[in-house]
């Protein structure tokens, strides 16, 4: 083991099928040129992304640890062993920024415990970009992840988030599995006060990007097809 400890780089990716260097800074390219060890959710898409960034990089030189729902949590600390041996490791997101609504937080937590420097790189975060473009309160907001699937529980949660928004002047954001987006928008319109503001932020950074904020009443009149399109929903009092 060397006395020099490697770093853990948090490497963002594109939010969709966009040319990486159109939305990512040159610093991401420089780090990928240097690193051969990665922690990834899906090896195939990770290799494809790295090839887009640096076509001349030898794929055979890459070593990848898999971090997904099938990963044995007892194995995760070993993913950082290369750092303890003086090598830098990249935590590569599947879409957007690592560890934010994305696997990786456990790796970062372990890195801090092992005194490994964590270096976040600049890249697109759909949550922040949606809040930015919503016109809603950016001083106080919460990301709530996925809402319950069961209809009555989902409606109850929507009302709870609307009440939080009203009582605390806090913007509330959440997501849904893309193939259920249209149903969620229907439930929003059927459940919330007609004057509540709703922002739909869809396909962020892509050529099909759609971002619109209007009242529930207006959404009832002017809907949009969100089927299988990555979307954030944001609500706030008018």
């Amino acid at each position: 083991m060397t006395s020099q400890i490697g770093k853990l780089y948090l490497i963002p990716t594109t939010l969709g099928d966009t040319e990486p260097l159109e939305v990512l800074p040159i610093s991401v390219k420089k780090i990928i040129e240097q690193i051969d060890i990665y922690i990834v959710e899906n090896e195939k898409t990770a290799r494809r992304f790295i090839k887009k960034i640096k076509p001349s990089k030898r794929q055979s030189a890459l070593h990848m640890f898999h971090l997904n729902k099938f990963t044995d949590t007892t194995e995760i600390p070993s993913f950082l062993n290369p750092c303890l041996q003086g090598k830098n490791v990249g935590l590569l997101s599947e879409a957007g920024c690592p560890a934010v609504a994305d696997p990786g937080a456990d790796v970062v937590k372990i890195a801090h415990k092992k005194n490994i420097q964590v270096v976040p790189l600049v890249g697109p975060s759909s949550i922040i970009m949606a809040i930015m473009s919503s016109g809603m309160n950016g001083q106080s907001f919460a990301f709530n992840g996925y809402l319950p699937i069961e209809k009555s529980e989902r409606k109850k949660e929507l009302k709870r988030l609307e009440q939080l928004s009203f009582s605390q002047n806090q913007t509330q954001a959440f997501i849904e599995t893309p193939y259920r987006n249209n149903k969620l928008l229907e439930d929003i319109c059927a459940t919330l006060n007609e004057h509540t503001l709703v922002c739909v932020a869809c396909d962020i950074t892509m050529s099909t990007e759609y971002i619109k904020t209007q009242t529930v009443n207006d959404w009832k009149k002017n809907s949009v097809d969100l089927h299988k399109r990555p979307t954030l929903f944001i609500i706030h009092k008018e």
Side-chain angles (χ1 to χ4, degrees), residues 29-110:
K29 180 175 184 291
K30 290 178 179 177
I31 292 301
I32 285 179
E33 288 173 346
Q34 299 169 17
I35 293 179
D36 289 330
I37 304 170
Y38 294 89
I39 302 168
V40 305
E41 186 174 355
N42 182 296
E43 182 168 342
K44 184 177 180 181
T45 55
R47 287 182 178 274
R48 186 187 306 132
F49 173 74
I50 291 170
K51 189 172 181 62
K52 273 189 173 184
I53 292 282
K54 184 65 176 177
S56 62
K57 196 171 185 71
R58 287 192 306 118
Q59 291 285 317
S60 60
L62 301 177
H63 180 81
M64 297 195 175
F65 297 102
H66 299 157
L67 180 66
N68 51 46
K69 63 182 179 180
F70 302 109
T71 304
D72 183 342
T73 56
T74 62
E75 295 180 1
I76 295 176
S78 67
F79 296 173
L80 294 171
N81 285 348
C83 289
L84 302 178
Q85 297 162 1
K87 299 174 183 176
N88 293 331
V89 173
L91 176 60
L92 189 61
S93 175
E94 188 74 358
C97 297
V100 180
D102 179 270
D106 288 342
V107 175
V108 176
K109 183 178 181 180
I110 293 167

Side-chain angles (χ1 to χ4, degrees), residues 197-214:
L197 288 174
V198 177
C199 175
V200 170
C202 174
D203 292 345
I204 293 175
T205 74
M206 293 180 247
S207 60
T208 53
E209 181 178 85
Y210 175 90
I211 302 172
K212 180 73 174 177
T213 296
Q214 56 186 2

Side-chain angles (χ1 to χ4, degrees), residues 13-32:
T13 64
T14 58
L15 294 171
D17 191 18
T18 307
E19 283 302 312
L21 296 183
E22 288 185 9
V23 293
L24 296 171
I26 196 68
S27 58
V28 171
K29 180 175 184 291
K30 290 178 179 177
I31 292 301
I32 285 179

Side-chain angles (χ1 to χ4, degrees), residues 162-175:
E162 182 182 51
Q163 184 56 42
L164 270 177
S165 171
F166 277 58
S167 63
Q168 298 185 22
N169 189 27
Q170 185 180 64
T171 300
Q172 302 293 327
F174 44 90
I175 54 176

Side-chain angles (χ1 to χ4, degrees), residues 10-11 46 56 68 82 90 98 108 135 138 156-157 163-164 172 178 186 203 208 215 226 232 234-235:
L10 309 186
I11 304 175
S56 62
N68 51 46
V108 176
K156 187 185 298 182
E157 181 65 3
Q163 184 56 42
L164 270 177
Q172 302 293 327
E186 289 176 11
D203 292 345
T208 53
T215 65
L226 305 171
L232 266 105
I234 311 173
I235 64 174

